[in-house]
Amino acid sequence: MIYNCLIINALLSTGGYVIAVRLIPGFRQKFIDKNRVGKDLCKKNKKEIPESMGVLIGLVFLVVLFLFIPVPFTLGEATKTGSKAATFPHEKFVELLVALLSIAVMMLLGFIDDIFDLRWRYKLVLPSIAMIPLLMVYAVYYNLTTIIMPKFLRTFVGYSLDIGALYYIYMGMLAVFCTNAINILAGINGLEVGQSLIISTSILLFNFIELSLGHQVDAHKFSIYLMLPFLAVSLALWKFNKYPSQVFVGDTFCYFAGMTFAVVGILGHFSKTLILFFLPQIINFLYSIPQLFKFIPCPRHRLPKYDSKSDLLHISTTDFDKNELNMLSRLMVTVLKSLKLITWQETPDGKVKTNNFTLINFVLLVFGPVHEKILTQMLMGFQILCTVLALIIRYPLANYFYDT
Amino acid sequence: MIYNCLIINALLSTGGYVIAVRLIPGFRQKFIDKNRVGKDLCKKNKKEIPESMGVLIGLVFLVVLFLFIPVPFTLGEATKTGSKAATFPHEKFVELLVALLSIAVMMLLGFIDDIFDLRWRYKLVLPSIAMIPLLMVYAVYYNLTTIIMPKFLRTFVGYSLDIGALYYIYMGMLAVFCTNAINILAGINGLEVGQSLIISTSILLFNFIELSLGHQVDAHKFSIYLMLPFLAVSLALWKFNKYPSQVFVGDTFCYFAGMTFAVVGILGHFSKTLILFFLPQIINFLYSIPQLFKFIPCPRHRLPKYDSKSDLLHISTTDFDKNELNMLSRLMVTVLKSLKLITWQETPDGKVKTNNFTLINFVLLVFGPVHEKILTQMLMGFQILCTVLALIIRYPLANYFYDT
């Protein structure tokens, strides 16, 4: 029964891959005609590439799952009677629908963002809007807001703690985090899709491990139902987005991917493990804080600098006057400099040149100039390393904090 | 209890109206900056007007309903227990979610159509895609495909007939019909929103009549829950789209409106009555058939012709050679001419000039050139007349065909 549904899901996902692979080249010209294009900045010719292709594969993902809706609920279920048996898993059915609703709304908002190029503050609001249905359904169906405490905290606060409304804020923040985390670790060919491929594979690996251990079978099956089609359509996109990119993915893809991860994390009850799979994104975010929150001047683009002679990428830098920095900024700089996490060149009259604080630039800082293709591979390799680390934390180490 | 939910819905809808009225002017410049504009062809200056504003009010509609999700299911329901009571109306809950899912997907597809200007064949496919979730849920939850026969047919086929898969095709076609019916009765300031306002008011009127008669209370409440927010956000759009238009609504709005009507018609179990409210659209479609299916040459635009001297709209015409017509075309023309439904000017050498076959042109044919604002009002007046006719058919006459 479990495996029947998974096999059908896998077949539908394969169909989704095949269709997506055919649709993308077919729609490339359409995107170019309508000026949905972006410049590929790290290339000699700076060619214009079709943008926002994420919306196309997002639609394929939705259709695959629309067709899958009846599968887990009719195989082995008596439905000919016209009314549902008492055993019908209403909650599971509702979870699937609301997951698709939140993801579809996120895609719509992402595509709107791509078209209208909304300001940063909207990027924080939009995922929260797309999360409302999920939070509402959670409130109606479960309204469970109790979290289990790690062992070392239990003597202080007890075995569990009802955090009430904070739990809803946590879920909303998770969506904001997942969507934007992918959106800011981006800018070189293939990176957005590449990291999403690895995160989704990591989630699938975790789901299958848990299934084999017999833990929370329903929750992990649910996650697999969404992750397999996601992996399939993302692979199709990867085929055209990897170096040298023939298409760009757009904010639509980053939102779609992040929201899908957030939804399976929440409804699959493994949001803490999910966050572990976002380690490179968290590092990138923490490293970016001084620039994102304007402690250090932040240029419009923080992409690496392309050197057309060597065809290699170099760190990109930002220039400013040291007097622009306030006390807190100077403290940050001192810490980052002493940890050798940034470059810092200062002239006697106070002109400063430092690298832009992104994980991409940091990799270039450590390894020196590399080719764009290799840079994406290095960052994907780091993402894989972090998954291994996450699974080590999740399995052997979790015993120290929780009873598993 | 019923009225509590309706009052909350009305309050949320009012909030939606207020927000939409503020958002639309705020986003006008954003749309212009990103070249999301269309020319207003029936004006002296042919000004460029922000296009696709339907997506903005569609989002407000979704957010209003997202916030409304818990209302009908927590007022009077015990939810603190963590698991649902046996009496929880799972089916109603699922209906609301899947309705929103289909509508949200239709909006996304409509916005994509606006951006990429898809071909006609897609316009028939997209609503079918958006209907899949609803059809799937229908299959899982009800799978009732039996229709009650009109009295005069019962001696031949019995009281009811199970039409099986045909019922699903009917539901899919209803979505294709409703979305495209609004999309083709369009082109002059305010008409798309104007007709939608009257259709939604007609549906609400019908719902309240049925509620007061105690018929299918749940189904009609459900319809009201969707129609009130729809009416609210459409009124906000009307404020800016009525003559002289400050914004255009885009295919997004036509799809959004049509899909919302189709969804409430299907899930509210009044799809036949719904079709009656589309009488002007049906007439427009039937009248358009010779051009839509290329029996008569069809120009790219069939809008009325604007006369800048008098500021009035005249019928638009199409010119062709009589030899281009095949047998069937000639038959159609003969019928239409003898019924005086078209103008027809023919030179001795076979050059023909006839009006474009749209309801808008037909009104101009009957009443002569009129001002754009008046033309929209005339068409809206006709829509109101048709609603009166529809209610007469639905109530007194239906007794002849069905037991009510």
Side-chain angles (χ1 to χ4, degrees):
Chain A
M1 167 64 186
I2 290 182
Y3 293 102
N4 282 348
C5 292
L6 287 182
I7 289 166
I8 294 174
N9 187 283
L11 287 175
L12 283 170
S13 301
T14 311
Y17 172 83
V18 172
I19 289 170
V21 160
R22 279 162 172 265
L23 276 180
I24 296 170
F27 268 80
R28 278 192 72 223
Q29 193 54 45
K30 197 92 200 152
F31 278 62
I32 294 170
D33 292 346
K34 295 292 164 180
N35 208 28
R36 288 298 324 140
V37 290
K39 277 210 167 63
D40 194 349
L41 296 171
C42 298
K43 298 286 181 301
K44 264 176 198 154
N45 53 13
K46 301 208 181 349
K47 221 169 72 177
E48 291 202 319
I49 307 280
E51 180 59 280
S52 327
M53 205 51 88
V55 74
L56 204 65
I57 63 135
L59 282 174
V60 176
F61 169 86
L62 285 179
V63 172
V64 164
L65 276 163
F66 289 168
L67 296 175
F68 182 70
I69 288 175
V71 176
F73 303 100
T74 49
L75 285 181
E77 283 287 331
T79 53
K80 299 266 168 184
T81 57
S83 71
K84 296 278 85 184
T87 57
F88 185 82
H90 293 287
E91 299 187 348
K92 295 288 142 201
F93 196 59
V94 163
E95 281 182 359
L96 182 55
L97 290 179
V98 81
L100 294 178
L101 179 55
S102 279
I103 293 169
V105 171
M106 189 76 267
M107 263 179 224
L108 172 58
L109 293 170
F111 192 54
I112 290 173
D113 185 16
D114 268 337
I115 300 293
F116 295 115
D117 216 354
L118 300 175
R119 290 202 205 119
W120 260 100
R121 59 165 179 265
Y122 286 103
K123 294 188 197 288
L124 302 181
V125 174
L126 299 184
S128 318
I129 292 177
M131 272 303 271
I132 300 175
L134 205 150
L135 300 185
M136 290 298 172
V137 167
Y138 195 91
V140 173
Y141 258 70
Y142 309 103
N143 201 20
L144 286 174
T145 52
T146 305
I147 54 170
I148 310 295
M149 286 285 123
K151 282 179 188 165
F152 67 89
L153 281 178
R154 285 181 197 164
T155 39
F156 308 108
V157 290
Y159 180 77
S160 65
L161 184 68
D162 187 349
I163 58 171
L166 276 181
Y167 196 79
Y168 288 88
I169 294 173
Y170 165 70
M171 290 191 281
M173 297 282 284
L174 190 67
V176 175
F177 163 72
C178 289
T179 47
N180 284 291
I182 294 174
N183 213 1
I184 64 172
L185 183 53
I188 56 173
N189 284 188
L191 188 56
E192 296 95 328
V193 185
Q195 63 185 301
S196 302
L197 285 176
I198 292 162
I199 294 172
S200 55
T201 310
S202 307
I203 293 174
L204 279 169
L205 188 67
F206 172 66
N207 294 147
F208 278 111
I209 294 172
E210 290 287 287
L211 268 191
S212 70
L213 295 172
H215 295 162
Q216 302 222 25
V217 172
D218 280 344
H220 291 289
K221 268 192 324 190
F222 172 81
S223 171
I224 295 170
Y225 294 159
L226 269 80
M227 279 298 114
L228 274 184
F230 177 82
L231 187 64
V233 297
S234 298
L235 275 172
L237 189 55
W238 169 252
K239 195 174 151 75
F240 299 94
N241 179 243
K242 68 182 184 203
Y243 182 91
S245 289
Q246 299 169 50
V247 304
F248 286 159
V249 299
D251 288 349
T252 319
F253 177 78
C254 301
Y255 281 138
F256 158 46
M259 196 67 186
T260 309
F261 296 147
V263 163
V264 300
I266 289 171
L267 293 177
H269 310 294
F270 58 87
S271 61
K272 280 174 295 185
T273 307
L274 176 71
I275 293 171
L276 287 178
F277 292 140
F278 273 82
L279 214 52
Q281 286 73 19
I282 295 171
I283 293 170
N284 184 49
F285 175 68
L286 294 176
Y287 189 52
S288 293
I289 282 178
Q291 285 195 313
L292 287 185
F293 296 95
K294 313 274 158 160
F295 292 109
I296 305 287
C298 182
R300 179 83 183 88
H301 286 292
R302 303 192 297 163
L303 285 182
K305 210 168 63 191
Y306 176 68
D307 175 27
S308 59
K309 273 188 210 146
S310 59
D311 200 27
L312 297 182
L313 297 181
H314 295 251
I315 52 167
S316 70
T317 54
T318 179
D319 299 276
F320 53 91
D321 201 294
K322 204 178 176 183
N323 296 328
E324 292 175 42
L325 302 184
N326 62 27
M327 278 290 283
L328 200 54
S329 307
R330 282 164 199 257
L331 181 65
M332 282 179 184
V333 165
T334 312
V335 173
L336 287 168
K337 270 164 70 179
S338 63
L339 294 172
K340 301 205 168 152
L341 295 178
I342 55 171
T343 59
W344 189 268
Q345 292 165 23
E346 201 176 317
T347 61
D349 59 340
K351 303 278 180 212
V352 172
K353 187 192 282 289
T354 181
N355 64 302
N356 285 312
F357 300 172
T358 66
L359 185 59
I360 300 177
N361 275 313
F362 184 73
V363 170
L364 293 171
L365 199 73
V366 175
F367 294 95
V370 293
H371 188 267
E372 187 174 7
K373 186 177 177 180
I374 308 294
L375 186 56
T376 303
Q377 286 173 352
M378 288 167 97
L379 283 156
M380 286 174 71
F382 182 60
Q383 186 94 41
I384 292 172
L385 271 181
C386 287
T387 289
V388 174
L389 185 66
L391 290 175
I392 291 172
I393 294 174
R394 175 64 184 76
Y395 285 106
L397 286 183
N399 293 328
Y400 290 97
F401 299 106
Y402 294 95
D403 327 294
T404 49
Chain B
M1 167 63 187
I2 290 182
Y3 294 103
N4 282 348
C5 293
L6 287 182
I7 290 166
I8 295 174
N9 187 283
L11 288 175
L12 284 170
S13 301
T14 311
Y17 172 83
V18 172
I19 289 170
V21 161
R22 279 163 173 265
L23 276 180
I24 295 169
F27 268 80
R28 278 193 72 223
Q29 194 53 46
K30 196 94 199 153
F31 279 60
I32 294 169
D33 292 347
K34 294 293 163 181
N35 207 29
R36 288 298 323 138
V37 291
K39 277 209 168 62
D40 194 348
L41 297 172
C42 299
K43 297 285 181 302
K44 267 179 195 149
N45 53 15
K46 301 211 182 344
K47 222 169 75 177
E48 292 202 318
I49 308 279
E51 182 58 279
S52 327
M53 205 51 89
V55 74
L56 205 65
I57 63 137
L59 282 174
V60 176
F61 169 87
L62 285 178
V63 171
V64 164
L65 277 164
F66 290 168
L67 296 174
F68 182 70
I69 288 174
V71 176
F73 304 99
T74 49
L75 285 181
E77 283 288 331
T79 53
K80 299 268 169 184
T81 57
S83 72
K84 298 276 87 185
T87 57
F88 185 81
H90 293 289
E91 300 187 349
K92 295 289 141 200
F93 196 59
V94 163
E95 280 182 359
L96 183 55
L97 291 179
V98 80
L100 294 178
L101 179 55
S102 279
I103 294 169
V105 171
M106 189 76 267
M107 264 179 225
L108 173 57
L109 293 171
F111 192 54
I112 290 173
D113 185 15
D114 269 336
I115 300 294
F116 294 115
D117 217 353
L118 301 176
R119 289 201 207 121
W120 262 101
R121 60 163 179 264
Y122 286 103
K123 294 189 197 288
L124 302 181
V125 174
L126 300 184
S128 318
I129 292 177
M131 273 303 271
I132 301 174
L134 205 150
L135 300 185
M136 290 299 172
V137 166
Y138 194 91
V140 172
Y141 257 70
Y142 308 102
N143 202 21
L144 286 174
T145 52
T146 304
I147 54 170
I148 309 294
M149 285 288 122
K151 283 179 189 166
F152 66 92
L153 281 177
R154 284 180 198 164
T155 38
F156 307 108
V157 291
Y159 180 78
S160 66
L161 183 68
D162 188 348
I163 56 171
L166 276 181
Y167 196 79
Y168 288 88
I169 294 173
Y170 165 70
M171 290 191 282
M173 296 282 283
L174 190 70
V176 175
F177 164 72
C178 290
T179 47
N180 284 291
I182 294 174
N183 213 1
I184 65 171
L185 183 53
I188 57 173
N189 285 187
L191 188 56
E192 296 95 327
V193 185
Q195 62 185 305
S196 303
L197 285 176
I198 292 163
I199 294 172
S200 56
T201 310
S202 308
I203 294 174
L204 279 169
L205 189 65
F206 172 67
N207 294 147
F208 278 111
I209 293 173
E210 290 288 287
L211 268 191
S212 69
L213 296 172
H215 295 164
Q216 301 222 25
V217 172
D218 280 346
H220 291 288
K221 270 191 323 190
F222 172 81
S223 171
I224 295 171
Y225 294 158
L226 269 80
M227 277 299 113
L228 275 185
F230 177 82
L231 186 64
V233 298
S234 298
L235 275 173
L237 189 55
W238 169 252
K239 196 175 151 75
F240 299 94
N241 180 243
K242 67 181 184 205
Y243 181 91
S245 290
Q246 298 170 50
V247 303
F248 286 157
V249 300
D251 288 348
T252 319
F253 176 78
C254 301
Y255 282 138
F256 158 47
M259 196 66 187
T260 309
F261 297 146
V263 163
V264 298
I266 290 171
L267 293 178
H269 310 294
F270 57 87
S271 60
K272 280 174 297 184
T273 307
L274 176 72
I275 293 171
L276 287 179
F277 292 140
F278 273 82
L279 215 52
Q281 287 71 22
I282 293 171
I283 293 170
N284 184 51
F285 175 68
L286 294 177
Y287 189 51
S288 293
I289 282 179
Q291 285 195 312
L292 287 185
F293 296 96
K294 311 275 157 154
F295 291 109
I296 306 288
C298 182
R300 179 83 183 87
H301 286 292
R302 304 191 299 163
L303 284 182
K305 210 167 65 191
Y306 176 67
D307 174 28
S308 60
K309 273 186 209 147
S310 60
D311 200 26
L312 298 182
L313 296 182
H314 295 250
I315 52 165
S316 69
T317 53
T318 179
D319 298 276
F320 52 91
D321 201 294
K322 204 177 175 183
N323 296 328
E324 292 176 40
L325 304 183
N326 59 28
M327 279 290 283
L328 199 55
S329 308
R330 282 163 199 257
L331 180 67
M332 282 179 184
V333 166
T334 311
V335 173
L336 288 167
K337 269 163 72 179
S338 62
L339 294 172
K340 301 203 167 154
L341 295 177
I342 55 171
T343 60
W344 189 268
Q345 293 165 22
E346 200 177 319
T347 61
D349 60 338
K351 301 281 179 212
V352 173
K353 186 192 282 289
T354 182
N355 64 301
N356 286 312
F357 300 174
T358 66
L359 185 59
I360 300 177
N361 276 313
F362 184 72
V363 170
L364 293 172
L365 198 72
V366 175
F367 295 93
V370 293
H371 187 266
E372 187 174 8
K373 187 177 176 181
I374 308 294
L375 186 55
T376 303
Q377 286 172 353
M378 288 166 96
L379 284 157
M380 286 174 71
F382 181 59
Q383 186 96 40
I384 292 173
L385 273 180
C386 287
T387 289
V388 174
L389 185 66
L391 290 174
I392 291 173
I393 294 174
R394 176 62 183 77
Y395 285 106
L397 287 184
N399 293 327
Y400 290 98
F401 298 106
Y402 294 94
D403 325 295
T404 49

